[in-house]
Amino acid sequence: SEAKSGRTDLIFLIRFRHCCLLRNQRCILAYLYDRLLRIRALRWEYGSVLPNTIQFHMSAEEVEWFNRYKKSLATYMRSVGGEEGLDLTQDIKPPKSLYIEVRCLRDYGEFEIDDGTTILLKKNSQHFLPRWKCEQLIRQGVLEHILS
């Protein structure tokens, strides 16, 4: 109101303050967008269930956004690929072989393969499994790929 009444020396301060506010707004939006991209990448890296250590550092709004993205991605994957859908999160890197040798890092319990065989995954046990079935467990830290 003082600038409108004739104090022209305040106009420069008002413009400077306004430019600072706009800069801060751009920085905050860039930070939030970067976090959003990182949360989206977590879905592809860890799967539909995030480890507690990561989820602890997320706000409630970020967890809600992650859950909505997870549901949206699942709906899309079910809509493509016929009856069973197509899991786009498998084989992020092109496989060199269809079967890999894995070591179990912790007790997991029974694990069923498509042919109906169940395997008991105990700590330090080694198995020769289809890559696409165990890639999710490798990302979760249950299995470790043994490189020969």
Side-chain angles (χ1 to χ4, degrees):
S1 65
E2 289 184 30
K4 286 182 181 178
S5 65
R7 287 195 58 192
T8 58
D9 59 329
L10 293 178
I11 293 175
F12 298 109
L13 289 175
I14 292 171
R15 285 186 181 167
F16 178 73
R17 180 179 182 275
H18 183 68
C19 288
C20 290
L21 290 173
L22 289 176
R23 181 192 174 278
N24 289 345
Q25 182 183 19
R26 283 192 314 270
C27 291
I28 289 170
L29 287 174
Y31 170 76
L32 290 174
Y33 183 69
D34 183 61
R35 269 189 80 88
L36 181 91
L37 292 178
R38 290 174 190 249
I39 293 169
R40 185 176 68 182
L42 289 174
R43 167 59 180 95
W44 291 88
E45 184 178 344
Y46 289 101
S48 60
V49 179
L50 288 177
N52 289 334
T53 56
I54 292 175
Q55 200 167 4
F56 175 74
H57 295 288
M58 293 170 59
S59 68
E61 291 82 10
E62 290 172 336
V63 171
E64 179 184 341
W65 187 89
F66 177 82
N67 289 332
R68 284 190 312 211
Y69 180 72
K70 175 178 67 172
K71 288 177 185 174
S72 175
L73 183 63
T75 302
Y76 175 73
M77 289 190 300
R78 277 192 304 270
S79 70
V80 295
E83 293 178 8
E84 298 174 9
L86 178 66
D87 191 359
L88 298 174
T89 61
Q90 297 296 326
D91 293 329
I92 293 175
K93 295 178 185 174
K96 293 182 181 179
S97 63
L98 295 178
Y99 285 83
I100 59 172
E101 190 172 359
V102 292
R103 177 182 300 122
C104 192
L105 299 175
R106 62 178 187 222
D107 289 337
Y108 183 75
E110 291 188 353
F111 182 68
E112 186 174 343
I113 303 177
D114 282 344
D115 62 0
T117 316
T118 57
I119 298 169
L120 184 61
L121 297 176
K122 287 180 139 181
K123 187 174 182 174
N124 294 327
S125 62
Q126 293 186 4
H127 305 279
F128 196 65
L129 299 173
R131 174 185 293 274
W132 68 276
K133 279 300 268 187
C134 58
E135 192 172 75
Q136 190 76 23
L137 293 175
I138 291 172
R139 278 190 249 137
Q140 291 175 1
V142 176
L143 297 176
E144 173 187 40
H145 183 191
I146 300 173
L147 301 171
S148 300

Short mmCIF file of all heavy atoms in Angstrom, two decimals, residues 58-115:
data_model
loop_
_atom_site.label_atom_id
_atom_site.label_comp_id
_atom_site.label_asym_id
_atom_site.label_seq_id
_atom_site.Cartn_x
_atom_site.Cartn_y
_atom_site.Cartn_z
N MET A 58 9.57 -42.03 3.52
CA MET A 58 8.61 -41.42 2.60
C MET A 58 7.46 -40.79 3.38
O MET A 58 7.06 -41.29 4.43
CB MET A 58 8.06 -42.48 1.64
CG MET A 58 9.10 -43.03 0.69
SD MET A 58 8.55 -44.47 -0.25
CE MET A 58 7.14 -43.86 -1.10
N SER A 59 6.93 -39.69 2.85
CA SER A 59 5.78 -39.06 3.49
C SER A 59 4.51 -39.86 3.16
O SER A 59 4.52 -40.72 2.29
CB SER A 59 5.63 -37.61 3.00
OG SER A 59 5.26 -37.60 1.64
N ALA A 60 3.44 -39.53 3.84
CA ALA A 60 2.17 -40.24 3.61
C ALA A 60 1.67 -40.00 2.18
O ALA A 60 1.14 -40.91 1.54
CB ALA A 60 1.12 -39.76 4.61
N GLU A 61 1.87 -38.79 1.67
CA GLU A 61 1.45 -38.48 0.30
C GLU A 61 2.28 -39.26 -0.71
O GLU A 61 1.77 -39.70 -1.74
CB GLU A 61 1.57 -36.98 0.02
CG GLU A 61 0.57 -36.13 0.78
CD GLU A 61 1.01 -35.84 2.21
OE1 GLU A 61 2.17 -36.14 2.56
OE2 GLU A 61 0.19 -35.32 2.97
N GLU A 62 3.58 -39.45 -0.44
CA GLU A 62 4.43 -40.21 -1.34
C GLU A 62 4.04 -41.69 -1.34
O GLU A 62 4.03 -42.33 -2.40
CB GLU A 62 5.90 -40.05 -0.95
CG GLU A 62 6.43 -38.66 -1.23
CD GLU A 62 7.82 -38.44 -0.68
OE1 GLU A 62 8.20 -39.12 0.29
OE2 GLU A 62 8.52 -37.56 -1.21
N VAL A 63 3.72 -42.22 -0.18
CA VAL A 63 3.27 -43.62 -0.11
C VAL A 63 1.96 -43.78 -0.85
O VAL A 63 1.76 -44.76 -1.59
CB VAL A 63 3.14 -44.07 1.37
CG1 VAL A 63 2.48 -45.43 1.47
CG2 VAL A 63 4.49 -44.07 2.06
N GLU A 64 1.07 -42.81 -0.70
CA GLU A 64 -0.21 -42.86 -1.42
C GLU A 64 0.02 -42.79 -2.93
O GLU A 64 -0.61 -43.53 -3.69
CB GLU A 64 -1.10 -41.70 -0.98
CG GLU A 64 -2.43 -41.65 -1.66
CD GLU A 64 -3.24 -40.42 -1.28
OE1 GLU A 64 -2.94 -39.81 -0.23
OE2 GLU A 64 -4.15 -40.07 -2.03
N TRP A 65 0.92 -41.92 -3.37
CA TRP A 65 1.22 -41.82 -4.80
C TRP A 65 1.83 -43.13 -5.30
O TRP A 65 1.48 -43.59 -6.38
CB TRP A 65 2.18 -40.66 -5.09
CG TRP A 65 2.36 -40.44 -6.55
CD1 TRP A 65 1.60 -39.64 -7.34
CD2 TRP A 65 3.32 -41.07 -7.41
NE1 TRP A 65 2.05 -39.71 -8.64
CE2 TRP A 65 3.10 -40.58 -8.71
CE3 TRP A 65 4.34 -41.98 -7.21
CZ2 TRP A 65 3.87 -40.98 -9.80
CZ3 TRP A 65 5.10 -42.39 -8.30
CH2 TRP A 65 4.86 -41.89 -9.57
N PHE A 66 2.73 -43.74 -4.52
CA PHE A 66 3.33 -45.02 -4.89
C PHE A 66 2.25 -46.08 -5.06
O PHE A 66 2.27 -46.85 -6.03
CB PHE A 66 4.35 -45.45 -3.84
CG PHE A 66 4.96 -46.79 -4.11
CD1 PHE A 66 6.00 -46.92 -5.00
CD2 PHE A 66 4.48 -47.94 -3.48
CE1 PHE A 66 6.58 -48.15 -5.27
CE2 PHE A 66 5.04 -49.17 -3.75
CZ PHE A 66 6.09 -49.27 -4.64
N ASN A 67 1.31 -46.15 -4.14
CA ASN A 67 0.23 -47.15 -4.22
C ASN A 67 -0.66 -46.92 -5.44
O ASN A 67 -1.06 -47.88 -6.10
CB ASN A 67 -0.59 -47.14 -2.94
CG ASN A 67 0.17 -47.72 -1.77
OD1 ASN A 67 1.05 -48.57 -1.94
ND2 ASN A 67 -0.12 -47.24 -0.57
N ARG A 68 -0.96 -45.66 -5.75
CA ARG A 68 -1.77 -45.38 -6.94
C ARG A 68 -1.00 -45.74 -8.21
O ARG A 68 -1.59 -46.28 -9.15
CB ARG A 68 -2.19 -43.91 -6.98
CG ARG A 68 -3.31 -43.59 -6.02
CD ARG A 68 -3.83 -42.23 -6.26
NE ARG A 68 -2.70 -41.30 -6.36
CZ ARG A 68 -2.72 -40.04 -6.02
NH1 ARG A 68 -3.80 -39.51 -5.56
NH2 ARG A 68 -1.65 -39.28 -6.13
N TYR A 69 0.29 -45.45 -8.25
CA TYR A 69 1.11 -45.81 -9.42
C TYR A 69 1.19 -47.32 -9.57
O TYR A 69 1.09 -47.85 -10.67
CB TYR A 69 2.50 -45.21 -9.30
CG TYR A 69 3.40 -45.54 -10.46
CD1 TYR A 69 3.21 -44.95 -11.70
CD2 TYR A 69 4.44 -46.46 -10.32
CE1 TYR A 69 4.01 -45.26 -12.77
CE2 TYR A 69 5.25 -46.77 -11.39
CZ TYR A 69 5.03 -46.17 -12.62
OH TYR A 69 5.83 -46.49 -13.68
N LYS A 70 1.33 -48.01 -8.44
CA LYS A 70 1.40 -49.47 -8.44
C LYS A 70 0.10 -50.06 -9.00
O LYS A 70 0.14 -50.96 -9.84
CB LYS A 70 1.65 -49.95 -7.00
CG LYS A 70 1.63 -51.43 -6.81
CD LYS A 70 1.93 -51.78 -5.37
CE LYS A 70 0.83 -51.33 -4.45
NZ LYS A 70 0.98 -51.80 -3.08
N LYS A 71 -1.04 -49.54 -8.58
CA LYS A 71 -2.33 -50.04 -9.06
C LYS A 71 -2.51 -49.72 -10.54
O LYS A 71 -3.02 -50.55 -11.31
CB LYS A 71 -3.47 -49.44 -8.25
CG LYS A 71 -3.57 -50.00 -6.85
CD LYS A 71 -4.66 -49.32 -6.06
CE LYS A 71 -4.65 -49.81 -4.63
NZ LYS A 71 -5.60 -49.06 -3.80
N SER A 72 -2.11 -48.54 -10.95
CA SER A 72 -2.24 -48.15 -12.35
C SER A 72 -1.37 -49.03 -13.25
O SER A 72 -1.81 -49.48 -14.31
CB SER A 72 -1.84 -46.69 -12.51
OG SER A 72 -1.84 -46.31 -13.85
N LEU A 73 -0.15 -49.31 -12.80
CA LEU A 73 0.75 -50.16 -13.57
C LEU A 73 0.22 -51.59 -13.64
O LEU A 73 0.25 -52.23 -14.69
CB LEU A 73 2.15 -50.15 -12.97
CG LEU A 73 3.23 -50.94 -13.70
CD1 LEU A 73 3.44 -50.38 -15.10
CD2 LEU A 73 4.52 -50.91 -12.91
N ALA A 74 -0.33 -52.09 -12.53
CA ALA A 74 -0.89 -53.44 -12.51
C ALA A 74 -2.09 -53.55 -13.44
O ALA A 74 -2.25 -54.55 -14.15
CB ALA A 74 -1.29 -53.82 -11.09
N THR A 75 -2.93 -52.53 -13.46
CA THR A 75 -4.08 -52.53 -14.36
C THR A 75 -3.63 -52.55 -15.82
O THR A 75 -4.19 -53.30 -16.64
CB THR A 75 -4.95 -51.28 -14.11
OG1 THR A 75 -5.35 -51.28 -12.74
CG2 THR A 75 -6.17 -51.27 -15.00
N TYR A 76 -2.62 -51.77 -16.13
CA TYR A 76 -2.11 -51.76 -17.50
C TYR A 76 -1.51 -53.11 -17.88
O TYR A 76 -1.74 -53.62 -18.97
CB TYR A 76 -1.08 -50.65 -17.68
CG TYR A 76 -0.44 -50.68 -19.04
CD1 TYR A 76 -1.15 -50.27 -20.16
CD2 TYR A 76 0.85 -51.15 -19.22
CE1 TYR A 76 -0.60 -50.32 -21.42
CE2 TYR A 76 1.41 -51.20 -20.47
CZ TYR A 76 0.69 -50.78 -21.57
OH TYR A 76 1.25 -50.84 -22.81
N MET A 77 -0.72 -53.70 -16.98
CA MET A 77 -0.07 -54.98 -17.29
C MET A 77 -1.10 -56.09 -17.47
O MET A 77 -0.89 -57.01 -18.25
CB MET A 77 0.95 -55.35 -16.20
CG MET A 77 2.18 -54.48 -16.22
SD MET A 77 3.55 -55.02 -15.18
CE MET A 77 2.84 -55.02 -13.56
N ARG A 78 -2.23 -56.03 -16.73
CA ARG A 78 -3.28 -57.02 -16.92
C ARG A 78 -4.00 -56.84 -18.25
O ARG A 78 -4.50 -57.79 -18.84
CB ARG A 78 -4.30 -56.94 -15.79
CG ARG A 78 -3.89 -57.70 -14.55
CD ARG A 78 -5.06 -57.83 -13.58
NE ARG A 78 -5.64 -56.55 -13.19
CZ ARG A 78 -5.25 -55.82 -12.16
NH1 ARG A 78 -4.26 -56.24 -11.40
NH2 ARG A 78 -5.83 -54.68 -11.88
N SER A 79 -4.05 -55.58 -18.74
CA SER A 79 -4.79 -55.32 -19.97
C SER A 79 -4.02 -55.74 -21.22
O SER A 79 -4.63 -55.91 -22.27
CB SER A 79 -5.13 -53.83 -20.06
OG SER A 79 -3.96 -53.07 -20.30
N VAL A 80 -2.72 -55.91 -21.15
CA VAL A 80 -1.93 -56.35 -22.30
C VAL A 80 -1.45 -57.77 -22.08
O VAL A 80 -1.31 -58.22 -20.96
CB VAL A 80 -0.71 -55.42 -22.56
CG1 VAL A 80 -1.15 -54.04 -22.94
CG2 VAL A 80 0.21 -55.37 -21.37
N GLY A 81 -1.24 -58.49 -23.12
CA GLY A 81 -0.65 -59.82 -23.00
C GLY A 81 -1.63 -60.96 -22.83
O GLY A 81 -1.25 -62.01 -22.33
N GLY A 82 -2.87 -60.81 -23.17
CA GLY A 82 -3.81 -61.93 -23.11
C GLY A 82 -4.42 -62.13 -21.74
O GLY A 82 -4.59 -61.19 -20.97
N GLU A 83 -4.75 -63.39 -21.43
CA GLU A 83 -5.46 -63.72 -20.19
C GLU A 83 -4.64 -63.42 -18.94
O GLU A 83 -5.13 -62.85 -17.98
CB GLU A 83 -5.83 -65.21 -20.18
CG GLU A 83 -6.85 -65.61 -21.21
CD GLU A 83 -7.11 -67.10 -21.17
OE1 GLU A 83 -6.63 -67.78 -20.25
OE2 GLU A 83 -7.83 -67.60 -22.05
N GLU A 84 -3.41 -63.86 -18.93
CA GLU A 84 -2.58 -63.71 -17.73
C GLU A 84 -1.97 -62.33 -17.60
O GLU A 84 -1.47 -61.96 -16.54
CB GLU A 84 -1.46 -64.75 -17.75
CG GLU A 84 -1.97 -66.17 -17.74
CD GLU A 84 -0.85 -67.17 -17.91
OE1 GLU A 84 0.33 -66.77 -17.86
OE2 GLU A 84 -1.15 -68.35 -18.08
N GLY A 85 -1.96 -61.55 -18.64
CA GLY A 85 -1.33 -60.25 -18.61
C GLY A 85 0.16 -60.37 -18.92
O GLY A 85 0.68 -61.45 -19.17
N LEU A 86 0.83 -59.27 -18.90
CA LEU A 86 2.25 -59.23 -19.21
C LEU A 86 2.97 -58.49 -18.10
O LEU A 86 2.67 -57.33 -17.82
CB LEU A 86 2.48 -58.53 -20.55
CG LEU A 86 3.91 -58.36 -21.01
CD1 LEU A 86 4.53 -59.73 -21.30
CD2 LEU A 86 3.96 -57.50 -22.26
N ASP A 87 3.91 -59.15 -17.44
CA ASP A 87 4.65 -58.52 -16.36
C ASP A 87 5.83 -57.76 -16.94
O ASP A 87 6.83 -58.34 -17.35
CB ASP A 87 5.12 -59.57 -15.34
CG ASP A 87 5.66 -58.94 -14.08
OD1 ASP A 87 5.67 -57.70 -13.98
OD2 ASP A 87 6.05 -59.70 -13.17
N LEU A 88 5.70 -56.45 -16.99
CA LEU A 88 6.74 -55.61 -17.57
C LEU A 88 7.94 -55.43 -16.65
O LEU A 88 8.99 -55.00 -17.10
CB LEU A 88 6.16 -54.23 -17.92
CG LEU A 88 5.04 -54.23 -18.94
CD1 LEU A 88 4.46 -52.84 -19.07
CD2 LEU A 88 5.54 -54.73 -20.27
N THR A 89 7.77 -55.76 -15.37
CA THR A 89 8.87 -55.57 -14.43
C THR A 89 9.88 -56.70 -14.47
O THR A 89 10.95 -56.58 -13.87
CB THR A 89 8.33 -55.43 -12.99
OG1 THR A 89 7.64 -56.63 -12.63
CG2 THR A 89 7.40 -54.23 -12.87
N GLN A 90 9.57 -57.78 -15.15
CA GLN A 90 10.51 -58.90 -15.27
C GLN A 90 11.51 -58.60 -16.36
O GLN A 90 11.23 -57.88 -17.31
CB GLN A 90 9.77 -60.20 -15.60
CG GLN A 90 8.81 -60.63 -14.53
CD GLN A 90 9.50 -60.98 -13.23
OE1 GLN A 90 10.60 -61.49 -13.21
NE2 GLN A 90 8.84 -60.67 -12.14
N ASP A 91 12.67 -59.19 -16.26
CA ASP A 91 13.73 -59.07 -17.26
C ASP A 91 14.01 -57.62 -17.64
O ASP A 91 13.92 -57.21 -18.79
CB ASP A 91 13.38 -59.86 -18.53
CG ASP A 91 13.37 -61.35 -18.28
OD1 ASP A 91 14.15 -61.80 -17.40
OD2 ASP A 91 12.61 -62.06 -18.93
N ILE A 92 14.36 -56.84 -16.64
CA ILE A 92 14.73 -55.46 -16.89
C ILE A 92 15.99 -55.42 -17.75
O ILE A 92 16.12 -54.59 -18.63
CB ILE A 92 14.90 -54.70 -15.57
CG1 ILE A 92 13.53 -54.59 -14.89
CG2 ILE A 92 15.50 -53.33 -15.79
CD1 ILE A 92 13.57 -53.97 -13.53
N LYS A 93 16.91 -56.33 -17.48
CA LYS A 93 18.08 -56.50 -18.34
C LYS A 93 17.86 -57.77 -19.15
O LYS A 93 17.36 -58.76 -18.64
CB LYS A 93 19.34 -56.66 -17.49
CG LYS A 93 19.67 -55.42 -16.69
CD LYS A 93 20.90 -55.65 -15.83
CE LYS A 93 21.14 -54.44 -14.96
NZ LYS A 93 22.22 -54.66 -14.01
N PRO A 94 18.25 -57.78 -20.42
CA PRO A 94 18.04 -58.98 -21.24
C PRO A 94 18.78 -60.18 -20.66
O PRO A 94 19.95 -60.09 -20.31
CB PRO A 94 18.63 -58.60 -22.61
CG PRO A 94 18.72 -57.13 -22.60
CD PRO A 94 18.85 -56.70 -21.18
N PRO A 95 18.11 -61.33 -20.53
CA PRO A 95 18.74 -62.50 -19.93
C PRO A 95 19.72 -63.18 -20.88
O PRO A 95 19.51 -63.21 -22.09
CB PRO A 95 17.56 -63.42 -19.63
CG PRO A 95 16.53 -63.05 -20.63
CD PRO A 95 16.71 -61.59 -20.88
N LYS A 96 20.80 -63.71 -20.31
CA LYS A 96 21.76 -64.48 -21.10
C LYS A 96 21.34 -65.94 -21.15
O LYS A 96 21.66 -66.64 -22.09
CB LYS A 96 23.16 -64.34 -20.51
CG LYS A 96 23.70 -62.94 -20.64
CD LYS A 96 25.10 -62.84 -20.10
CE LYS A 96 25.59 -61.41 -20.24
NZ LYS A 96 26.92 -61.23 -19.73
N SER A 97 20.65 -66.40 -20.11
CA SER A 97 20.14 -67.77 -20.10
C SER A 97 18.79 -67.78 -19.38
O SER A 97 18.49 -66.88 -18.61
CB SER A 97 21.12 -68.70 -19.38
OG SER A 97 21.24 -68.31 -18.03
N LEU A 98 18.00 -68.81 -19.64
CA LEU A 98 16.67 -68.88 -19.05
C LEU A 98 16.71 -69.35 -17.60
O LEU A 98 15.83 -69.02 -16.82
CB LEU A 98 15.78 -69.80 -19.88
CG LEU A 98 15.49 -69.31 -21.29
CD1 LEU A 98 14.64 -70.33 -22.03
CD2 LEU A 98 14.79 -67.97 -21.27
N TYR A 99 17.71 -70.14 -17.24
CA TYR A 99 17.84 -70.64 -15.88
C TYR A 99 19.11 -70.08 -15.26
O TYR A 99 20.13 -69.94 -15.93
CB TYR A 99 17.90 -72.17 -15.87
CG TYR A 99 16.56 -72.81 -16.12
CD1 TYR A 99 16.07 -72.98 -17.40
CD2 TYR A 99 15.77 -73.24 -15.06
CE1 TYR A 99 14.83 -73.55 -17.63
CE2 TYR A 99 14.54 -73.81 -15.28
CZ TYR A 99 14.07 -73.96 -16.56
OH TYR A 99 12.85 -74.53 -16.78
N ILE A 100 19.03 -69.76 -13.97
CA ILE A 100 20.20 -69.25 -13.26
C ILE A 100 20.35 -69.99 -11.94
O ILE A 100 19.39 -70.57 -11.41
CB ILE A 100 20.09 -67.74 -12.99
CG1 ILE A 100 18.84 -67.41 -12.16
CG2 ILE A 100 20.13 -66.95 -14.27
CD1 ILE A 100 18.76 -65.97 -11.70
N GLU A 101 21.56 -69.96 -11.42
CA GLU A 101 21.83 -70.57 -10.13
C GLU A 101 21.74 -69.48 -9.07
O GLU A 101 22.35 -68.41 -9.20
CB GLU A 101 23.20 -71.21 -10.12
CG GLU A 101 23.44 -72.08 -8.90
CD GLU A 101 24.74 -72.85 -8.99
OE1 GLU A 101 25.45 -72.73 -10.00
OE2 GLU A 101 25.03 -73.56 -8.03
N VAL A 102 20.97 -69.75 -8.03
CA VAL A 102 20.76 -68.76 -6.97
C VAL A 102 21.04 -69.38 -5.60
O VAL A 102 20.94 -70.60 -5.43
CB VAL A 102 19.31 -68.21 -6.99
CG1 VAL A 102 19.07 -67.37 -8.22
CG2 VAL A 102 18.28 -69.29 -6.89
N ARG A 103 21.41 -68.51 -4.68
CA ARG A 103 21.61 -68.91 -3.28
C ARG A 103 20.60 -68.15 -2.45
O ARG A 103 20.39 -66.95 -2.63
CB ARG A 103 23.02 -68.57 -2.82
CG ARG A 103 23.26 -68.92 -1.35
CD ARG A 103 24.66 -68.54 -0.86
NE ARG A 103 25.66 -69.22 -1.64
CZ ARG A 103 26.62 -68.61 -2.34
NH1 ARG A 103 26.68 -67.30 -2.36
NH2 ARG A 103 27.51 -69.29 -3.02
N CYS A 104 19.98 -68.84 -1.53
CA CYS A 104 18.98 -68.23 -0.66
C CYS A 104 19.70 -67.52 0.49
O CYS A 104 20.52 -68.12 1.18
CB CYS A 104 18.02 -69.30 -0.13
SG CYS A 104 16.58 -68.62 0.65
N LEU A 105 19.41 -66.24 0.70
CA LEU A 105 20.08 -65.45 1.73
C LEU A 105 19.37 -65.49 3.08
O LEU A 105 19.98 -65.21 4.10
CB LEU A 105 20.21 -64.00 1.27
CG LEU A 105 21.02 -63.78 0.00
CD1 LEU A 105 20.98 -62.33 -0.41
CD2 LEU A 105 22.45 -64.25 0.20
N ARG A 106 18.10 -65.85 3.06
CA ARG A 106 17.34 -65.96 4.31
C ARG A 106 16.21 -66.97 4.12
O ARG A 106 15.85 -67.30 3.00
CB ARG A 106 16.79 -64.61 4.75
CG ARG A 106 15.83 -64.00 3.78
CD ARG A 106 15.28 -62.69 4.29
NE ARG A 106 14.25 -62.22 3.39
CZ ARG A 106 14.10 -61.00 3.02
NH1 ARG A 106 14.91 -60.08 3.46
NH2 ARG A 106 13.13 -60.66 2.20
N ASP A 107 15.67 -67.46 5.20
CA ASP A 107 14.57 -68.42 5.12
C ASP A 107 13.35 -67.73 4.51
O ASP A 107 12.93 -66.67 4.96
CB ASP A 107 14.22 -68.94 6.51
CG ASP A 107 15.30 -69.87 7.07
OD1 ASP A 107 16.06 -70.44 6.25
OD2 ASP A 107 15.40 -70.01 8.30
N TYR A 108 12.80 -68.33 3.47
CA TYR A 108 11.66 -67.75 2.76
C TYR A 108 10.45 -68.67 2.82
O TYR A 108 9.32 -68.21 2.83
CB TYR A 108 12.05 -67.48 1.31
CG TYR A 108 10.97 -66.81 0.50
CD1 TYR A 108 10.68 -65.46 0.67
CD2 TYR A 108 10.21 -67.53 -0.42
CE1 TYR A 108 9.69 -64.85 -0.07
CE2 TYR A 108 9.22 -66.92 -1.17
CZ TYR A 108 8.96 -65.58 -0.98
OH TYR A 108 7.98 -64.98 -1.71
N GLY A 109 10.67 -69.97 2.84
CA GLY A 109 9.56 -70.91 2.85
C GLY A 109 9.42 -71.58 1.50
O GLY A 109 10.35 -71.64 0.71
N GLU A 110 8.22 -72.07 1.22
CA GLU A 110 7.99 -72.77 -0.04
C GLU A 110 7.81 -71.78 -1.18
O GLU A 110 7.20 -70.73 -1.03
CB GLU A 110 6.75 -73.66 0.08
CG GLU A 110 6.97 -74.84 1.00
CD GLU A 110 5.80 -75.81 0.97
OE1 GLU A 110 4.77 -75.51 0.34
OE2 GLU A 110 5.92 -76.88 1.58
N PHE A 111 8.34 -72.17 -2.34
CA PHE A 111 8.28 -71.35 -3.55
C PHE A 111 7.84 -72.26 -4.69
O PHE A 111 8.45 -73.28 -4.94
CB PHE A 111 9.67 -70.75 -3.82
CG PHE A 111 9.73 -69.87 -5.01
CD1 PHE A 111 9.08 -68.65 -5.03
CD2 PHE A 111 10.47 -70.24 -6.13
CE1 PHE A 111 9.15 -67.82 -6.14
CE2 PHE A 111 10.55 -69.41 -7.23
CZ PHE A 111 9.89 -68.20 -7.23
N GLU A 112 6.75 -71.90 -5.34
CA GLU A 112 6.19 -72.75 -6.39
C GLU A 112 6.57 -72.23 -7.77
O GLU A 112 6.48 -71.04 -8.06
CB GLU A 112 4.67 -72.81 -6.27
CG GLU A 112 4.05 -73.79 -7.23
CD GLU A 112 2.56 -73.95 -7.01
OE1 GLU A 112 2.06 -73.57 -5.95
OE2 GLU A 112 1.90 -74.47 -7.92
N ILE A 113 6.99 -73.18 -8.63
CA ILE A 113 7.34 -72.86 -10.02
C ILE A 113 6.12 -73.20 -10.87
O ILE A 113 5.21 -73.91 -10.44
CB ILE A 113 8.59 -73.67 -10.44
CG1 ILE A 113 9.73 -73.36 -9.49
CG2 ILE A 113 8.99 -73.34 -11.86
CD1 ILE A 113 10.98 -74.15 -9.75
N ASP A 114 6.10 -72.71 -12.11
CA ASP A 114 4.93 -72.88 -13.00
C ASP A 114 4.57 -74.34 -13.25
O ASP A 114 3.40 -74.66 -13.45
CB ASP A 114 5.18 -72.20 -14.34
CG ASP A 114 4.97 -70.71 -14.23
OD1 ASP A 114 4.37 -70.26 -13.25
OD2 ASP A 114 5.42 -69.99 -15.15
N ASP A 115 5.54 -75.24 -13.24
CA ASP A 115 5.22 -76.65 -13.51
C ASP A 115 4.63 -77.35 -12.29
O ASP A 115 4.35 -78.54 -12.33
CB ASP A 115 6.46 -77.39 -14.01
CG ASP A 115 7.60 -77.44 -13.02
OD1 ASP A 115 7.45 -76.88 -11.90
OD2 ASP A 115 8.64 -78.03 -13.34
#
